[in-house]
Amino acid sequence: MWAAVRHYSSKTLFLKPAKFDVKRIIRDIGLYKDSIARRELVGQEQLVGALDGQLAATYERTKDIHAKISAVQTERKALEFSIRQHKVHGDEVLKELRSLKSQFSALAEQLQEANSKIQDICLRLPNLIHESAPDTAPVIDRWINKGLYESFEQQENRDHVYIMTKCKQLLDLASASNISGNSWYYLINEGAQLETALVNYALDQAEKHGFQRCIPPSIARKEIIDACGFTPRDMNNEKQIYEIEDGNNKLGLTATAEITLAGMNANKILDLDENNPTKRLVGVSRSYRAEAGARGKDTKGLYRVHEFTKVELFCWSLPQHSEKVLEDLKEFQVKLISDLGLCAQVLNMPANDLGNPAYKKYDIEVWMPGRGKFGEVSSTSNCTDFQSRRLFTRYQNKESSKLEYVHTLNGTAMAVPRMILAIIENFYDPSTNMVTVPSPLIPYMNGKTKF
């Protein structure tokens, strides 16, 4: 079924209602229908039906109602002027005035109902899709360190769970299961040290690339989470977000720092221009995924867990620069992984893998020999104005002096558990029972080259 858009009490709202360019949506209705179909959205028939049968007609109806309201107001003002200037009184005059007021109230109610229907449809629409995005299968954009491996085969003695629990004391899944449940974990000894090393390495590299550091909250209002596009969308009705009961407040644990970083500039006007076209933050936080392990796959070890540390890149950009910013984010991620000596493939992700906010997305998958396949460790997306319209984040166009919506972009600098998995499985030597530390991490591991 087509899920209802969430409505919040005005007393608890922080965000202003999103403003949509309805004329543009109607003009590009074919592109939006294509985006809905290619993303394979749940309830797409109802949404396409609303676009075809309701949006344009309702929008025209609002213009008709506005015209009627204007006529009623003109007549009402003329009558009120006559009453004041000419002392016109009498039952007929008062009756006519009451009738005009009643007509105005009825029309205002009709206008509110029509605008709510338009808003409801627009809020459900996904972003458009970049012309380069494939339909149903990712396309390899490039390889990273492909020459390091002649063949890709599963190696059982390189399984990270076996190495980290049986060969070395780096991971405790059993205790975590008793304390917290499945898909939770303890990192211990060099396992914990490797986490802090990866975080500090990613933060230092991001700072060198012009990102300002930030430690954001891990709890957000549900209206912020929804505005960023984090709502369940899969066929199994799985929950992405852990919800928190706190009286009348609707809160959730964040699935990524993207949410609270994006929310940081909600309802704000950013000082961006051609000399300063982007604002960049790198945030480190704990992330929470309610659906981890629910799909019945990748439930073993560190690949899919409920809680993990993540270093996130977030950018606000002038619209005309956002495609270049996306490529810059990808290049940063490529260098980060390349310097760690990992073999990976960069993927231009297909339309049916894009979340509602993404206009274009790249994933990076690293070879994980213990799993016998590549696994996603990084993602970067251009969300254009999908989030900024809902979060009311704007800039002043210096040429037109108008306030316009910025573009938002996000990218993973470090999804820590999966990178630990990749490092352990790729750099463990069964003959010595030692893990070689990638050279960029040695300074962050107190000089250790192996452990």
Side-chain angles (χ1 to χ4, degrees):
M1 294 296 291
W2 186 10
V5 169
R6 290 173 173 82
H7 295 282
Y8 301 97
S9 165
S10 59
K11 294 181 180 179
T12 63
L13 281 178
F14 164 69
L15 293 176
K16 301 175 183 179
K19 287 191 175 180
F20 296 99
D21 187 343
V22 182
K23 285 184 179 180
R24 188 194 72 179
I25 293 173
I26 292 172
R27 183 196 69 200
D28 294 336
I29 196 166
L31 295 177
Y32 279 97
K33 288 164 64 176
D34 179 66
S35 175
I36 293 165
R38 293 179 66 200
R39 288 173 196 264
E40 300 176 4
L41 295 185
V42 174
Q44 60 178 279
E45 296 83 4
Q46 294 95 323
L47 185 50
V48 169
L51 272 178
D52 278 339
Q54 298 179 36
L55 186 61
T58 306
Y59 182 67
E60 289 302 315
R61 185 162 177 261
T62 62
K63 292 196 289 186
D64 181 57
I65 295 172
H66 274 297
K68 290 179 179 178
I69 286 175
S70 179
V72 168
Q73 288 290 77
T74 299
E75 189 174 350
R76 176 178 166 182
K77 287 178 181 178
L79 185 57
E80 289 174 342
F81 179 81
S82 295
I83 292 172
R84 289 194 304 271
Q85 295 297 315
H86 305 294
K87 309 300 181 184
V88 177
H89 295 290
D91 291 343
E92 288 300 318
V93 173
L94 294 177
K95 182 178 179 181
E96 185 177 356
L97 186 59
R98 283 194 295 269
S99 174
L100 290 170
K101 289 181 178 180
S102 178
Q103 290 178 54
F104 174 81
S105 296
L107 289 168
E109 187 174 335
Q110 292 173 28
L111 183 61
Q112 183 178 6
E113 182 181 330
N115 283 332
S116 293
K117 183 180 290 187
I118 291 171
Q119 186 79 349
D120 191 61
I121 294 170
C122 292
L123 281 171
R124 287 184 168 89
L125 292 177
N127 205 341
L128 297 179
I129 298 174
H130 192 276
E131 60 185 10
S132 71
D135 285 327
T136 58
V139 172
I140 296 178
D141 179 77
R142 74 165 79 171
W143 282 89
I144 302 172
N145 294 332
K146 185 179 182 182
L148 292 177
Y149 301 90
E150 294 182 358
S151 64
F152 301 115
E153 297 177 355
Q154 186 167 3
Q155 298 171 265
E156 292 182 3
N157 62 354
R158 289 185 180 273
D159 173 69
H160 76 284
V161 176
Y162 171 76
I163 297 167
M164 296 180 77
T165 61
K166 303 296 183 183
C167 302
K168 308 186 79 65
Q169 292 184 336
L170 307 174
L171 176 68
D172 188 343
L173 296 170
S175 295
S177 178
N178 291 332
I179 300 304
S180 306
N182 293 330
S183 298
W184 303 83
Y185 59 97
Y186 286 96
L187 288 174
I188 52 179
N189 300 321
E190 285 88 353
Q193 191 178 15
L194 194 53
E195 165 151 330
T196 57
L198 286 165
V199 168
N200 288 322
Y201 165 62
L203 287 172
D204 284 352
Q205 293 304 308
E207 192 171 39
K208 290 177 183 177
H209 283 75
F211 287 84
Q212 295 178 304
R213 296 193 187 204
C214 178
I215 299 179
S218 294
I219 292 177
R221 296 172 183 260
K222 284 295 271 100
E223 56 175 318
I224 300 292
I225 294 171
D226 290 347
C228 289
F230 283 83
T231 52
R233 65 178 288 269
D234 58 60
M235 296 295 290
N236 298 317
N237 197 30
E238 293 171 358
K239 290 174 60 178
Q240 289 181 312
I241 301 293
Y242 282 112
E243 296 181 356
I244 300 173
E245 295 295 333
D246 183 27
N248 293 327
N249 293 322
K250 296 181 181 293
L251 303 171
L253 292 174
T254 55
T256 167
E258 172 194 339
I259 295 169
T260 42
L261 291 174
M264 190 177 184
N265 281 320
N267 295 338
K268 293 181 182 178
I269 299 170
L270 302 185
D271 185 19
L272 298 179
D273 55 35
E274 285 295 336
N275 295 319
N276 182 36
T278 62
K279 178 177 175 61
R280 304 177 179 219
L281 288 182
V282 55
V284 58
S285 72
R286 299 293 276 179
S287 298
Y288 300 88
R289 302 288 173 93
E291 88 285 6
R295 295 182 176 90
K297 63 178 182 178
D298 296 324
T299 58
K300 181 183 177 183
L302 294 176
Y303 191 79
R304 196 180 299 279
V305 291
H306 287 302
E307 179 184 11
F308 58 97
T309 302
K310 187 165 182 265
V311 183
E312 183 76 5
L313 307 166
F314 197 88
C315 300
W316 295 265
S317 168
L318 292 179
Q320 62 270 30
H321 287 265
S322 69
E323 290 201 38
K324 180 181 182 302
V325 174
L326 180 67
E327 298 301 314
D328 290 345
L329 286 172
K330 180 186 71 175
E331 292 305 315
F332 172 82
Q333 293 170 322
V334 166
K335 187 174 189 311
L336 205 69
I337 293 168
S338 176
D339 288 352
L340 289 173
L342 295 166
C343 174
Q345 51 189 12
V346 182
L347 304 175
N348 183 3
M349 297 307 288
N352 66 347
D353 195 77
L354 302 181
N356 278 6
Y359 175 63
K360 183 176 182 178
K361 182 176 77 159
Y362 292 110
D363 280 0
I364 299 180
E365 294 186 347
V366 166
W367 174 245
M368 300 174 176
R371 299 176 72 242
K373 53 186 171 182
F374 289 85
E376 179 198 338
V377 298
S378 180
S379 179
T380 186
S381 300
N382 184 358
C383 297
T384 64
D385 63 354
F386 182 96
Q387 293 175 331
S388 61
R389 283 185 179 276
R390 290 159 173 78
L391 292 167
F392 229 71
T393 305
R394 298 173 294 171
Y395 74 101
Q396 187 173 46
N397 185 314
K398 296 298 191 290
E399 293 184 3
S400 66
S401 296
K402 293 181 179 179
L403 292 177
E404 299 178 5
Y405 292 95
V406 301
H407 283 189
T408 62
L409 303 97
N410 64 83
T412 310
M414 192 65 64
V416 173
R418 293 188 181 183
M419 289 300 291
I420 291 176
L421 183 164
I423 287 170
I424 296 295
E425 293 194 353
N426 280 283
F427 302 130
Y428 174 72
D429 184 349
S431 67
T432 61
N433 192 34
M434 298 292 286
V435 177
T436 299
V437 177
S439 57
L441 299 184
I442 293 173
Y444 302 102
M445 294 286 288
N446 295 330
K448 289 180 185 177
T449 58
K450 297 178 185 287
F451 59 85

